[in-house]
Amino acid sequence: MKNTIQNLDELKFEKKINKIGYGKFPYIIYKSGHAIYMKIPIHFNRNNDFDNYPSIHINGIDKFLLKEHNSSFKGELHDVLIESSIWVKNQIEEQTKKAVKIFLVDAIDKAHFFEGDEIKFSSKIACGGTLISQEGKILGMNVNHFI
């Protein structure tokens, strides 16, 4: 009998994001465990349609502010996103009773990292690991956190 061992690094196991309402920018990532990332989508002007667009809803945003944010990732809407992220971080810390780290991700190369009272810009965003929804369901494994 001959035993063989396959190098696990050679395996390319992937589970793609396929849940409606996930996969688009912007979103918040909360690292909830070792290589476990919880994705918290942010939706604009979806009028609290949580069935099709789960998670954070920011309503009443005019087209100009959306366009400004999508082109420069600055301005009034960006300030609202920063404030929303701080609120989410505080909620998670209150629920878990510990300090947490989160990312507000605007684009493939634009994110803000929240740790303690500090907010730092980052051109690198989290990817890989196991991506889960707020309900704890697996959204993706070993994939980018966006579509």
Side-chain angles (χ1 to χ4, degrees), residues 69-125:
H69 178 264
N70 290 338
S71 65
S72 70
F73 304 106
K74 296 179 183 175
E76 187 178 330
L77 181 54
H78 188 70
D79 295 341
V80 169
L81 290 171
I82 294 288
E83 290 301 316
S84 295
S85 299
I86 292 169
W87 181 85
V88 167
K89 181 179 177 293
N90 290 338
Q91 293 297 308
I92 295 170
E93 289 178 338
E94 189 175 305
Q95 291 172 7
T96 63
K97 305 291 187 226
K98 64 180 183 177
V100 300
K101 301 171 188 174
I102 66 168
F103 279 91
L104 167 62
V105 183
D106 281 316
I108 290 174
D109 60 351
K110 291 184 178 30
H112 288 81
F113 180 62
F114 296 72
E115 181 176 22
D117 292 331
E118 291 188 78
I119 303 171
K120 297 178 184 175
F121 176 79
S122 176
S123 61
K124 296 184 180 185
I125 65 173

Side-chain angles (χ1 to χ4, degrees), residues 11-68:
L11 297 176
K12 299 283 187 194
F13 177 76
E14 291 185 352
K15 179 184 186 325
K16 303 268 185 200
I17 299 170
N18 60 8
K19 187 170 180 178
I20 295 172
Y22 285 83
K24 306 290 183 194
F25 295 108
Y27 57 84
I28 293 172
I29 288 287
Y30 159 52
K31 187 172 182 189
S32 62
H34 179 70
I36 299 174
Y37 300 91
M38 179 183 291
K39 185 165 189 172
I40 305 168
I42 301 171
H43 306 287
F44 301 111
N45 300 329
R46 297 296 181 187
N47 299 314
N48 301 328
D49 178 2
F50 292 104
D51 291 333
N52 294 310
Y53 301 96
S55 206
I56 298 171
H57 284 243
I58 301 174
N59 295 308
I61 304 298
D62 70 34
K63 291 178 185 178
F64 172 77
L65 290 178
L66 282 171
K67 186 175 180 179
E68 176 186 48

